[in-house]
Amino acid sequence: MNYKTITYERLGETLYEYDHPSGLKAFLVRKPGYNKKTALFATDYGSIDNVFKKSDGQVMRVPDGIAHFLEHKLFEQEDGNMLDKFSRMGSSPNAFTSFNQTAYYFTCTDLFEENFRMLLDYVQNPWLTDENVEKEKGIIGQEIRMYEDSPDWRLFFNLLDCLYVNHPVKVDIAGTLDSIAQINKELLYECYNAFYTPSNMVVVVSGDVDPELVFTTVDSMIKSKDRGKPEKRYPEEPEEVNLTYKEQKLRVSMPLFNMGIKDPVRVSGYELLKRRTALGIILAAIMGRSSELFNRLYYDGLINDSFRFEVSADQSYGFVNWGGQSSDPERVAGEIRREIEATVEKGLDQEVFDRIRKSHEGVFVRTLNSPDVIAREMMDCYFNKTSYFELSRIFEELDLAYTNQILRSLFTKTTVLSVIHPI
């Protein structure tokens, strides 16, 4: 077969790429000697993609929650539920909808080809009826109510409501009870036909699998005709935040807090991956487990092991956030803001930068032992116009000057705070 082989000698990894005639891209990361195999079939379509222009020129505006609704419905086929079918084949299937992607995948040790064929088949063949769509509204409605009572979920989306004025990233991935009530079979098919088209999708396999097997299976199973990529449209988002503070009371034993900064810089490809990496180093330097700030707050009893930080950056939105449990969220927020100001003023230290960069590179290399992680990261990077293996070059090239530039341009912006207090 006519596929491309790329060797990353520094990592000891080999990537196989295949361009299907339909426009679908397929990847294999071969892991000789590994028993576990993962296959993923994904579309560049998530919860934020509710306004789009179809290839025929028609502009669609659909209710919140449709991408997640479709994810649920694809598992239900006329001859049974796909979860049961995969389980009978000894594999573990799942799916997820994020803000910008929907992915269907399985892991297995045996019967890879049979499971792989099932994955490629059912994702291309939605079975939607008026009856099963109405039934699903009840199921998803229960899920929405569950998330409304989830302190961690509400904390996070309250943070996004603080950060964003117009961008749909602030809307719950599952939608609302009102929005899912507007969903019907016809709208689901419209969105499926717009986004589940080969040139808007990717197949990723990771494990000890022969490339000929993977790509000949793709060749034989991909029957969908490409309808062209839809044009995603998002509202104008100001640099200013929507709110600086939001609180809610729920059943928690200790207050929860989440802080964040909106990143207005929009990049893609290698630059996006590089920016994500620099932001992760900055957060680790300011508030990571080895930082003076973390240890001071921890030993003062103001934070505990629940404290985490995260970088979220895509082509249409970006933010950094951090938080956890605290007996005094407002005091912790003040301490963190002061530490950020002091770090911006003096910049990151070269020794600290080098240590964290090497540590993060080590974490990246360890992820290459996980077929699951490889498949997900390869998918995300492909949709963001880069490759996961480019991280190796980024860790080599990333320097203190660039990282301090990111620090001073972003961490001088408004920091918002979301808090959940006990009832």
Side-chain angles (χ1 to χ4, degrees):
M1 291 193 68
N2 187 22
Y3 55 82
K4 186 191 304 183
T5 304
I6 305 171
T7 302
Y8 295 86
E9 293 183 3
R10 186 166 181 260
L11 297 173
E13 297 288 344
T14 302
L15 174 66
Y16 300 88
E17 294 184 10
Y18 175 59
D19 292 305
H20 188 265
S22 66
L24 176 76
K25 176 77 83 171
F27 295 99
L28 165 65
V29 180
R30 195 168 192 183
K31 306 295 291 182
Y34 280 58
N35 289 324
K36 187 176 184 179
K37 305 168 184 69
T38 298
L40 178 150
F41 195 8
T43 175
D44 189 19
Y45 173 46
S47 66
I48 64 175
D49 301 318
N50 289 337
V51 181
F52 55 92
K53 183 179 179 181
K54 299 194 316 185
S55 56
D56 64 5
Q58 181 185 4
V59 176
M60 296 285 297
R61 184 181 297 273
V62 298
D64 295 325
I66 281 198
H68 173 260
F69 205 111
L70 266 174
E71 177 221 312
H72 272 234
K73 290 312 304 166
L74 284 193
F75 278 108
E76 187 176 354
Q77 298 287 303
E78 192 167 9
D79 60 349
N81 190 282
M82 294 308 302
L83 295 173
D84 297 332
K85 293 182 182 182
F86 278 104
S87 296
R88 287 195 293 268
M89 298 288 285
S91 63
S92 177
N94 214 328
F96 65 83
T97 304
S98 66
F99 292 128
N100 38 44
Q101 297 146 3
T102 308
Y104 306 83
Y105 61 96
F106 70 85
T107 59
C108 69
T109 55
D110 297 308
L111 302 176
F112 171 81
E113 183 179 357
E114 293 86 342
N115 282 289
F116 190 38
R117 286 181 175 276
M118 279 203 304
L119 174 71
L120 298 179
D121 179 61
Y122 87 86
V123 174
Q124 294 182 86
N125 292 288
W127 179 62
L128 303 172
T129 67
D130 293 327
E131 292 75 20
N132 67 29
V133 169
E134 285 303 311
K135 178 183 175 184
E136 197 66 37
K137 289 181 183 180
I139 296 169
I140 294 177
Q142 290 179 335
E143 185 177 336
I144 290 171
R145 292 185 186 94
M146 178 185 72
Y147 282 125
E148 286 175 348
D149 293 329
S150 168
D152 289 328
W153 195 255
R154 294 274 42 91
L155 179 76
F156 178 62
F157 274 93
N158 287 348
L159 178 82
L160 294 182
D161 187 42
C162 287
L163 290 173
Y164 288 93
V165 178
N166 299 317
H167 198 286
V169 73
K170 68 191 288 182
V171 180
D172 195 304
I173 289 170
T176 66
L177 294 176
D178 287 341
S179 71
I180 66 167
Q182 302 169 46
I183 294 173
N184 56 38
K185 179 183 69 177
E186 289 72 28
L187 279 176
L188 289 168
Y189 273 122
E190 284 275 12
C191 292
Y192 179 89
N193 289 330
F195 287 98
Y196 285 71
T197 185
S199 62
N200 199 55
M201 302 184 77
V202 69
V203 170
V204 185
V205 175
S206 179
D208 193 357
V209 189
D210 181 69
E212 288 283 339
L213 170 64
V214 171
F215 300 137
T216 55
T217 303
V218 168
D219 248 0
S220 67
M221 294 299 298
I222 299 300
K223 306 297 184 185
S224 302
K225 300 294 184 184
D226 192 58
R227 294 174 289 273
K229 287 187 179 184
E231 178 188 311
K232 301 177 179 182
R233 295 189 173 182
Y234 305 112
E236 288 291 323
E237 178 65 35
E239 286 200 21
E240 295 77 19
V241 299
N242 185 37
L243 303 164
T244 57
Y245 178 77
K246 188 169 184 176
E247 67 175 28
Q248 188 175 355
K249 289 187 176 182
L250 290 170
R251 295 188 183 280
V252 292
S253 58
M254 183 184 294
L256 305 174
F257 77 99
N258 205 340
M259 301 176 69
I261 301 173
K262 178 165 66 175
D263 186 355
V265 175
R266 301 275 61 82
V267 290
S268 63
Y270 186 83
E271 282 304 311
L272 176 59
L273 204 56
K274 185 177 179 182
R275 188 175 184 86
R276 286 179 181 176
T277 306
L279 288 169
I281 290 172
I282 292 166
L283 289 172
I286 295 172
M287 61 190 78
R289 295 296 172 104
S290 63
S291 69
E292 186 277 333
L293 174 67
F294 178 90
N295 285 278
R296 173 161 47 85
L297 294 175
Y298 186 87
Y299 287 111
D300 286 347
L302 290 170
I303 60 172
N304 55 31
D305 287 333
S306 68
F307 186 85
R308 298 286 186 274
F309 57 80
E310 185 178 16
V311 177
S312 297
D314 186 65
Q315 295 170 92
S316 77
Y317 68 87
F319 59 91
V320 293
N321 68 295
W322 58 88
Q325 293 179 321
S326 176
S327 58
D328 193 344
E330 285 78 7
R331 180 180 168 189
V332 171
E335 294 277 350
I336 293 174
R337 285 187 173 114
R338 282 188 287 275
E339 187 67 24
I340 289 174
E341 290 172 5
T343 305
V344 167
E345 185 175 347
K346 65 186 179 185
L348 295 186
D349 176 78
Q350 182 73 57
E351 183 180 345
V352 171
F353 169 80
D354 289 338
R355 172 173 53 80
I356 295 173
R357 178 179 55 80
K358 290 175 183 176
S359 171
H360 285 202
E361 184 176 17
V363 172
F364 160 63
V365 172
R366 287 197 296 276
T367 66
L368 301 180
N369 291 322
S370 170
D372 289 357
V373 174
I374 290 171
R376 288 196 301 271
E377 295 293 344
M378 285 292 298
M379 176 267 298
D380 177 72
C381 287
Y382 171 69
F383 286 145
N384 280 297
K385 301 180 174 60
T386 186
S387 168
Y388 187 49
F389 293 128
E390 287 293 330
L391 269 174
S392 178
R393 181 158 66 99
I394 285 170
F395 281 117
E396 276 194 295
E397 295 180 355
L398 194 64
D399 60 22
L400 182 63
Y402 172 85
T403 306
N404 273 328
Q405 175 199 339
I406 301 295
L407 167 69
R408 293 188 171 109
S409 64
L410 180 61
F411 285 79
T412 51
K413 298 187 182 299
T414 303
T415 303
V416 305
L417 174 63
S418 166
V419 178
I420 300 292
H421 286 294
I423 292 176

